Amino acid sequence: MAEFVRGAPRRSKLRLYRGITVETFLETSLSPAVAYYRDSVAPTSQPASSGIPGVKKQGVSLYQFFAPGGVLSRTHPAYEFRRGQLQMAQAVEQALEEKRHLIVEAGTGTGKTLAYLVPVIRSGKRVIISTGTKNLQEQLFHKDIPFLEQALFPDGASRLNVCYMKGRNNYLCRKKLYDLTDQPVLSGLEEIEHYRAIAAWEKTTQTGDRAELAELPEASALWHKIDARSDACIGQKCSSWDKCFITEMRRRAMESDIIIVNHHLFFADLSIKQQSEYAPDAGILPEVGAVIFDEAHELEDVAGSYFGVSVSNGRVEELCRDVEASLQRNHMLSVSISSAVKSLRERSMFFFALLPQGEGRFSFENRRDFLEENGEEFMSLQQSFTRLNSELENLPSKPEEVFNFARRAQELQVQFGFLMESEDHNTVFWIERRRGGRDKFNVYLQATPIDVAPILQSCLFDTLECAVLTSATLAVGGGFEYMRRRLGLEHTRESVLPSHFDYENQALLYVPPDLPDPRTPQFAAKAADRIRRLLEITRGRAFVLFTSYAQMNDVYQRLLGELDFPMLLQGDAPKSALLEEFRLTPNAVLFATSSFWQGVDVQGEQLSCVIIDRLPFAVPSDPVVAARVRSIDADGGNAFFQYQVPAAVITLKQGFGRLIRSLHDRGLLVLLDNRILKKAYGKVFVESLPNYRKTTELAVVEEFFGIV
Ligand code: SF4
């Protein structure tokens, strides 16, 4: 077996399993050892745009920028020529010039951000870059773009206009703050302290971004009352419109060449624009020539949440509270309005209490039966909205915000109507109930599109000149059929780029063939045993990632006191604090679930092993997953192979992607779920992973770590 690790696989003719032999597991890899480039439509030739003059005048071609001896090599201290980076830049430039969509998988280490930023700058178009994480937004704004400015315009002759936009709830609403100043309704010393700090900061801040207020805790209840969410915004009619931070942000965006946002802001904006009859001033992103979606594997989930409908007991309560506070402040709170608010509050509480019981996310399929039984209560709730609405409209010489309250009441009424009565076949209706404190539940009534593809196709991809979708994890089995189908991307160029890492030598993937099926009760004990053995070999330095909290806690408890290494557990501290502790604690082992599967970057020896408990199939009972499965099957497709397996492949690639973050990283990947060997679908996973060395032998793992 030692020979195998050095590159001479042992020849076993024994076909052990139904789907894939150990031998094929050991040898299989379709992954991007070789790049492929494919067109799903015949090329159309469109004139290239002029580009930022400074760059083109200098004649800096992509090759001259990225190739050895080029601009990048002279300006970047850690320059290495990355063929994939140049290829990606060329593909992005072509897509921008030809006004075509592009989907490109580029593994960690490709240098993706420069590969799209340079062609974006050369294009001269106004472009939105949308990312999945705040970290990447910050890297682009604070690191990559300043670096490029320096590299491309060393004499300072030309500057890039760039803005970094966050969701509206990150910014202060001046009107809400001033209203609060007129009539402070603050609860507790802590809120008073926060209020003083915010009021002082408001006088000096240029951006209104709460990130500048380091002392304000993340969960500040006061901030939630005075942030600039669109719900309560009265737009141009606001007395603070001219000095509003959102107005200012919109103006900056209009003047920018590059606008950096996250997917949540992008899709919130897109969906608000779709409903512009409700919120004409709510859209904040300007028209652009192209959108680059980085970390694009998250698009379906994020888009689904913004093109759905959601009402909650909290949202009704917030409306009641805002109406009372505003009318009190304006000395307009009459007995009849107080009674309308009281009635809405009571009927809402009663209606939410009648909804089917349960915690977490669960489907609400029997809406018709529910309405038959509780139709009267539902109608009463709807009538309360009508009553409040007409009370507000009948107010004489009302302040502008009252129109906004009437709009919110109307919107809630329409949304409740849709949620309870719609028969839309492309929508799944479900409930989420979360504990929000002692004896208090936050209840959400939700409607989510089952298939976002037709929505994205009509309101995004058909209207946008050029969309570039990129991530380290987009391809399944070497192609993009899954992503294209899920996102409604029909006409695209496609590219899978070669990795910059030498996965075959940097990483070893171990799958133990002898462990029981992870769905059986015997699994946890055997898995814990094997994890203990593996951690002895790697001397800790590991992430042990689970697909459920229950499994994580079970295995953690079994290993507590059994390991010679510091054990960290998700939930014991905030994510960033745990990661910091992991980085600083020699030989630490972190037990975690889904939130550590992506967006986590630990370079170097400190992370030498990533263990995953099972193939990360989405929970089949989740209402949205179940509806998607039913819908694909009902259309004659095979949901398991067309949806569940590819989605799990992308997640597995994300999880394993935590290990090798630089050319110098080296380590062990472990999948404790040997269905990858035994089941026919296992082949899809194996063929989709980078070409790690693979083994089913513990002895090979020992040898990899120099234990003989
Ligand atoms: S325009 Fe909207 S967000 Fe801005 S200060 Fe006025 S209400 Fe607040």
Side-chain angles (χ1 to χ4, degrees):
M1 190 43 68
E3 282 175 358
F4 155 66
V5 175
R6 296 195 188 98
R10 186 171 65 174
R11 297 280 156 189
S12 159
K13 290 294 166 206
L14 182 63
R15 188 176 175 82
L16 294 174
Y17 309 115
R18 189 149 53 90
I20 184 169
T21 60
V22 167
E23 185 179 72
T24 30
F25 163 68
L26 299 174
E27 290 177 340
T28 306
S29 171
L30 273 189
S31 250
V34 180
Y36 88 74
Y37 193 78
R38 201 172 76 194
D39 239 341
S40 63
V41 281
T44 56
S45 101
Q46 300 277 355
S49 56
S50 58
I52 290 174
V55 182
K56 287 213 160 168
K57 238 188 268 162
Q58 289 167 22
V60 181
S61 70
L62 293 177
Y63 188 81
Q64 286 165 332
F65 185 85
F66 288 105
V71 175
L72 190 57
S73 72
R74 295 194 301 271
T75 48
H76 201 291
Y79 171 82
E80 289 167 83
F81 175 59
R82 303 167 198 222
R83 193 169 303 282
Q85 188 178 41
L86 175 59
Q87 285 172 342
M88 178 167 166
Q90 287 165 334
V92 173
E93 180 145 291
Q94 193 173 7
L96 287 164
E97 287 183 349
E98 294 179 353
K99 299 180 179 170
R100 301 266 293 272
H101 300 325
L102 168 72
I103 179 163
V104 53
E105 180 176 275
T108 318
T110 304
K112 283 198 294 297
T113 51
L114 294 192
Y116 56 71
L117 282 172
V118 175
V120 159
I121 293 167
R122 282 168 53 83
S123 78
K125 293 175 195 261
R126 180 194 286 148
V127 174
I128 288 175
I129 298 174
S130 179
T131 75
T133 57
K134 196 171 154 201
N135 282 355
L136 184 53
Q137 278 187 296
E138 293 192 340
Q139 179 197 317
L140 285 163
F141 189 72
H142 296 296
K143 201 171 139 216
D144 295 338
I145 290 176
F147 165 76
L148 278 177
E149 262 179 345
Q150 188 57 36
L152 292 168
F153 316 114
D155 51 3
S158 189
R159 304 294 295 175
L160 298 171
N161 284 321
V162 184
C163 78
Y164 170 13
M165 296 168 83
K166 302 178 182 176
R168 291 181 64 129
N169 59 340
N170 288 282
Y171 300 91
L172 176 70
C173 169
R174 278 193 148 129
K175 180 175 184 317
K176 288 184 189 170
L177 181 74
Y178 298 162
D179 287 349
L180 204 63
T181 311
D182 291 345
Q183 192 172 29
V185 189
L186 299 165
S187 47
L189 278 179
E190 201 181 54
E191 275 205 6
I192 295 172
E193 228 173 79
H194 293 168
Y195 169 77
R196 284 199 188 120
I198 293 169
W201 164 72
E202 183 265 339
K203 294 190 171 45
T204 55
T205 175
Q206 298 292 307
T207 65
D209 180 352
R210 66 169 292 175
E212 293 175 8
L213 262 177
E215 69 268 33
L216 188 72
E218 192 68 35
S220 158
L222 176 64
W223 182 262
H224 187 71
K225 294 179 194 165
I226 54 173
D227 69 26
R229 271 168 304 144
S230 58
D231 234 17
C233 176
I234 51 178
Q236 290 188 26
K237 291 176 182 145
C238 172
S239 50
S240 299
W241 168 262
D242 287 340
K243 49 182 194 162
C244 166
F245 296 117
I246 300 295
T247 313
E248 172 58 19
M249 186 166 74
R250 193 187 274 121
R251 194 192 55 70
R252 271 204 313 274
M254 288 301 296
E255 290 171 358
S256 294
D257 307 313
I258 298 173
I259 301 149
I260 301 168
V261 301
N262 65 23
H263 299 335
H264 287 271
L265 174 55
F266 183 86
F267 286 104
D269 193 75
L270 191 59
S271 101
I272 281 174
K273 282 174 180 157
Q274 292 294 298
Q275 320 157 23
S276 54
E277 71 270 27
Y278 290 129
D281 301 314
I284 49 175
L285 297 178
E287 294 291 304
V288 290
V291 181
I292 311 282
F293 292 103
D294 201 339
E295 297 169 328
H297 57 279
E298 295 179 12
L299 289 190
E300 183 183 10
D301 281 348
V302 181
S305 64
Y306 287 98
F307 286 105
V309 173
S310 169
V311 297
S312 64
N313 53 352
R315 203 170 136 200
V316 179
E317 174 52 34
E318 204 167 82
L319 173 64
C320 294
R321 205 183 54 211
D322 289 353
V323 169
E324 284 174 337
S326 162
L327 296 188
Q328 226 156 25
R329 196 171 47 244
N330 291 292
H331 310 290
M332 297 175 86
L333 188 58
S334 63
V335 175
S336 59
I337 292 190
S338 278
S339 143
V341 170
K342 183 167 176 269
S343 151
L344 174 58
R345 206 174 245 140
E346 284 171 0
R347 290 177 183 187
S348 164
M349 274 167 67
F350 192 43
F351 176 80
F352 277 100
L354 288 173
L355 288 173
Q357 295 304 300
E359 273 192 54
R361 293 158 58 110
F362 53 94
S363 80
F364 190 15
E365 276 168 9
N366 54 345
R367 286 175 305 140
R368 213 177 266 184
D369 298 344
F370 176 86
L371 273 188
E372 258 175 42
E373 231 176 275
N374 305 293
E376 246 176 65
E377 287 75 9
F378 173 61
M379 289 315 295
S380 297
L381 175 63
Q382 293 290 70
Q383 282 158 9
S384 297
F385 285 119
T386 311
R387 183 175 157 201
L388 178 63
N389 193 32
S390 60
E391 289 284 354
L392 292 171
E393 279 185 350
N394 288 338
L395 275 175
S397 58
K398 43 193 170 282
E400 195 53 47
E401 64 214 55
V402 172
F403 291 99
N404 179 274
F405 300 145
R407 175 189 62 75
R408 281 163 68 187
Q410 215 175 8
E411 199 173 282
L412 274 163
Q413 188 180 34
V414 170
Q415 292 181 342
F416 267 105
F418 177 82
L419 284 156
M420 294 309 303
E421 295 171 329
S422 167
E423 299 287 338
D424 184 39
H425 292 301
N426 188 30
T427 302
V428 50
F429 299 90
W430 53 288
I431 294 169
E432 183 166 17
R433 190 178 275 108
R434 300 255 170 244
R435 212 168 272 277
R438 204 151 50 94
D439 298 333
K440 204 178 147 229
F441 280 96
N442 296 321
V443 188
Y444 301 84
L445 196 52
Q446 313 255 26
T448 303
I450 294 173
D451 187 0
V452 291
I455 304 170
L456 289 183
Q457 192 175 14
S458 68
C459 74
L460 180 64
F461 297 123
D462 282 355
T463 57
L464 192 62
E465 278 181 4
C466 168
V468 174
L469 279 69
T470 186
S471 165
T473 55
L474 286 173
V476 175
F480 296 111
E481 200 197 333
Y482 166 69
M483 276 294 161
R484 283 200 288 110
R485 201 170 337 103
R486 296 308 307 166
L487 298 177
L489 251 178
E490 270 184 0
H491 306 298
T492 58
R493 286 184 182 278
E494 299 173 357
S495 178
V496 175
L497 296 170
S499 173
H500 187 56
F501 295 152
D502 179 7
Y503 282 114
E504 210 170 344
N505 285 308
Q506 289 184 260
L508 174 68
L509 168 60
Y510 165 64
V511 179
D514 56 319
L515 287 189
D517 187 308
R519 293 165 298 182
T520 61
Q522 303 83 15
F523 176 75
K526 300 274 185 199
D529 243 21
R530 190 61 50 93
I531 292 169
R532 188 183 40 74
R533 177 70 199 110
L534 287 163
L535 293 176
E536 280 165 10
I537 296 171
T538 64
R539 291 181 291 116
R541 306 183 297 168
F543 279 1
V544 190
L545 301 177
F546 296 87
T547 47
S548 76
Y549 278 96
Q551 188 88 284
M552 174 184 81
N553 287 323
D554 186 352
V555 172
Y556 177 82
Q557 288 303 331
R558 287 170 194 272
L559 291 172
L560 205 58
E562 296 280 313
L563 296 180
D564 292 334
F565 315 108
M567 289 168 70
L568 307 174
L569 180 68
Q570 181 178 336
D572 281 355
K575 182 175 171 182
S576 53
L578 270 182
L579 264 180
E580 197 51 19
E581 199 174 343
F582 180 86
R583 286 193 184 102
L584 297 174
T585 311
N587 306 91
V589 180
L590 171 69
F591 294 76
T593 64
S594 55
S595 59
F596 283 79
W597 285 59
Q598 42 186 307
V600 171
D601 196 356
V602 180
Q603 291 193 15
E605 280 192 3
Q606 189 61 15
L607 180 63
S608 295
C609 173
V610 172
I611 300 175
I612 285 178
D613 67 333
R614 59 191 285 178
L615 290 171
F617 288 111
V619 180
S621 58
D622 178 89
V624 179
V625 173
R628 287 182 178 155
V629 166
R630 272 198 309 273
S631 161
I632 295 167
D633 286 342
D635 285 348
N638 180 328
F640 186 66
F641 278 102
Q642 288 175 343
Y643 175 57
Q644 289 162 287
V645 167
V649 164
I650 301 282
T651 312
L652 184 68
K653 285 168 74 171
Q654 275 293 328
F656 277 164
R658 298 313 93 217
L659 182 70
I660 304 296
R661 309 300 298 170
S662 82
L663 267 179
H664 311 289
D665 286 347
R666 183 175 181 275
L668 174 70
L669 297 161
V670 178
L671 179 65
L672 297 171
D673 184 346
N674 55 36
R675 287 179 295 172
I676 199 172
L677 306 173
K678 295 178 178 177
K679 302 288 185 186
Y681 59 75
K683 197 162 180 272
V684 184
F685 286 89
V686 176
E687 288 179 349
S688 301
L689 291 171
N691 59 334
Y692 311 122
R693 261 186 298 174
K694 304 175 190 73
T695 184
T696 54
E697 310 268 341
L698 209 48
V700 176
V701 177
E702 288 174 336
E703 192 183 333
F704 186 78
F705 282 91
I707 300 168
V708 213

